Every structure is written in structure tokens, then in C-alpha cells.
């Protein structure tokens, strides 16, 4: 039986820095998250952080990459329309809240920082590519352009739900559930 190789010390430190950055970004945004606060939360000095990441942008890029990997793993279940609205948007737990806030923090940072914009756009390309492959397996006769259009509509619907999270009544009433189901049936036909 092969033993599991323990993570390298450097990898653990990098992860502590990424986790600390995420915590501070969730609490007050990337702009207000100082390197000294991130270092303190990670249990390191600022100088030690710079051994692993040349700039704060590099930490944010690593965080975006990790979040993209999580979303890629979640993609197949996200594209399953069965009880979609309730499975993904009926209640907020800490993970959902953090995902929602982090998504908007990254978007905001990408709007004013070209380095983050590039990694954000690459993340979107990777996510779209994975979604296209999944939908191509479900709809082999559908053209890729149409699949991409359907994905864009679903992304727009999803981001709208996340943006309006605090103003939506839950549980969703029957009418709301019916309209969302009809919309999903149009986007993802049987």
C-alpha cells in the first residue's frame, strides 16, 4: 500500500496565506486587506509572505484559481436542472455566503486591476469550457454556439439571483419556482 505524501511545508504556508487573504477579503474587501493583517492572520511576517508571493495580486490570483477549481468540480451538479432553484438558491449557509461575497469581490477587483482581470477572464473561459463539454455530452446535436448562448443565459440568471440574494423572499413560492423551472426547461431542454 502506497503512503500518502504529506504536503510540503511551503505548500502549507502558501495555503495559510491564501486562506488569510480570503478571510480579510470577505470581511472588508481586497483593497482594505493589508499585507500586515494577512501576515498576522497567517502566522507569518510580511517578509515571509513575499518569499511565496511577489505581490498581493499573486495571492489573489492563487485564490481565484482555487475558487475556479472548486467551481469546476461543482459544474456537473450545477448544470443538473432537477430542483435547481431550491438546491442552489433556497437558503444561505456560510459557504454560499462566502462564495457570493468572494465572487463580487473578485469582480470588483478585476474591474480596476488588469492582472486580476486577466485571471478572472481565464477563470470564466475555463468554467465555460467545462460547461460546454458537459452540455455537448447531453446535447450532441446542438451546435457549440448555441450551447455557449445557453450557458451565458444560465450564468446571467445565476449572477442575478446572487446579486438579489438579500431582497428575495425564501422559501420561493410556487409561482417563482414554476417560472424558474420553465426558464431552465428552455435553457436546458429534455
Amino acid at each position: 500500500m502506497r503512503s500518502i505524501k504529506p504536503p510540503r511545508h511551503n505548500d502549507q504556508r502558501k495555503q495559510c496565506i491564501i486562506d488569510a487573504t480570503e478571510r480579510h477579503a470577505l470581511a472588508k474587501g481586497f483593497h482594505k486587506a493589508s499585507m500586515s493583517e494577512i501576515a498576522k492572520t497567517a502566522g507569518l511576517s510580511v517578509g515571509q509572505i513575499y518569499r511565496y508571493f511577489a505581490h498581493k495580486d499573486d495571492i489573489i490570483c492563487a485564490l481565484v484559481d482555487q475558487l475556479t477549481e472548486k467551481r469546476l468540480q461543482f459544474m456537473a451538479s450545477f448544470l443538473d436542472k432537477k430542483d435547481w432553484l431550491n438546491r442552489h438558491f433556497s437558503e444561505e449557509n456560510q459557504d454560499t455566503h462566502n462564495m457570493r461575497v468572494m465572487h463580487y469581490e473578485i469582480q470588483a477587483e478585476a474591474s480596476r486591476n488588469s492582472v486580476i482581470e486577466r485571471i478572472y477572464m481565464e477563470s470564466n473561459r475555463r468554467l465555460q469550457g467545462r460547461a460546454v463539454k458537459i452540455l455537448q455530452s447531453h446535447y450532441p446535436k446542438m451546435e457549440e454556439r448555441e450551447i455557449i448562448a445557453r450557458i451565458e443565459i444560465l450564468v446571467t440568471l445565476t449572477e442575478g439571483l446572487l446579486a438579489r440574494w438579500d431582497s428575495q423572499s425564501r422559501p420561493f413560492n410556487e409561482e417563482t419556482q414554476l417560472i424558474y423551472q420553465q426558464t431552465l426547461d428552455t435553457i436546458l431542454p429534455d
Side-chain angles (χ1 to χ4, degrees):
M1 176 184 237
R2 291 176 38 191
S3 63
I4 298 173
K5 185 177 177 181
R8 293 186 2 223
H9 191 63
N10 288 345
D11 292 340
Q12 290 173 336
R13 284 190 173 178
K14 280 183 174 182
Q15 191 59 52
C16 284
I17 295 164
I18 294 167
D19 291 345
T21 303
E22 182 177 20
R23 245 179 267 142
H24 285 283
L26 287 168
K28 56 188 160 197
F30 288 118
H31 267 33
K32 291 185 180 177
S34 72
M35 290 299 275
S36 61
E37 291 173 323
I38 291 168
K40 183 177 180 182
T41 301
L44 302 168
S45 70
V46 173
Q48 287 175 304
I49 287 179
Y50 287 117
R51 289 181 190 162
Y52 302 100
F53 297 98
H55 305 282
K56 187 173 163 183
D57 288 353
D58 294 339
I59 305 170
I60 297 170
C61 289
L63 177 58
V64 171
D65 193 51
Q66 284 187 3
L67 293 172
T68 301
E69 288 301 320
K70 287 179 187 175
R71 291 173 71 191
L72 286 167
Q73 292 172 6
F74 177 67
M75 183 71 66
S77 69
F78 182 74
L79 292 171
D80 176 4
K81 69 179 182 179
K82 186 177 188 296
D83 199 30
W84 183 84
L85 184 63
N86 285 325
R87 280 188 303 123
H88 300 297
F89 298 99
S90 63
E91 58 184 70
E92 182 168 65
N93 58 37
Q94 194 61 48
D95 288 339
T96 305
H97 172 79
N98 290 352
M99 176 192 71
R100 183 170 60 88
V101 172
M102 190 54 58
H103 177 77
Y104 288 112
E105 280 300 318
I106 292 166
Q107 271 189 325
E109 191 65 23
S111 73
R112 58 185 167 253
N113 181 327
S114 62
V115 172
I116 305 307
E117 179 185 25
R118 281 192 296 280
I119 191 80
Y120 179 69
M121 296 305 289
E122 177 58 27
S123 170
N124 285 332
R125 280 190 288 278
R126 289 176 64 200
L127 291 164
Q128 183 183 71
R130 176 78 172 115
V132 166
K133 286 181 181 178
I134 291 168
L135 290 184
Q136 283 175 330
S137 71
H138 291 345
Y139 308 107
K141 294 181 181 180
M142 192 179 289
E143 289 187 31
E144 186 173 325
R145 287 176 44 169
E146 183 178 348
I147 287 173
I148 290 170
R150 290 172 185 272
I151 291 165
E152 285 303 312
I153 297 297
L154 187 57
V155 168
T156 301
L157 179 66
T158 302
E159 290 187 359
L161 281 163
L162 291 173
R164 294 189 39 77
W165 189 274
D166 294 327
S167 62
Q168 296 173 20
S169 298
R170 285 184 207 70
F172 294 108
N173 63 36
E174 281 184 44
E175 294 78 12
T176 301
Q177 290 184 40
L178 178 63
I179 290 170
Y180 273 104
Q181 191 58 50
Q182 290 170 344
T183 304
L184 286 171
D185 288 341
T186 300
I187 298 170
L188 303 170
D190 289 328

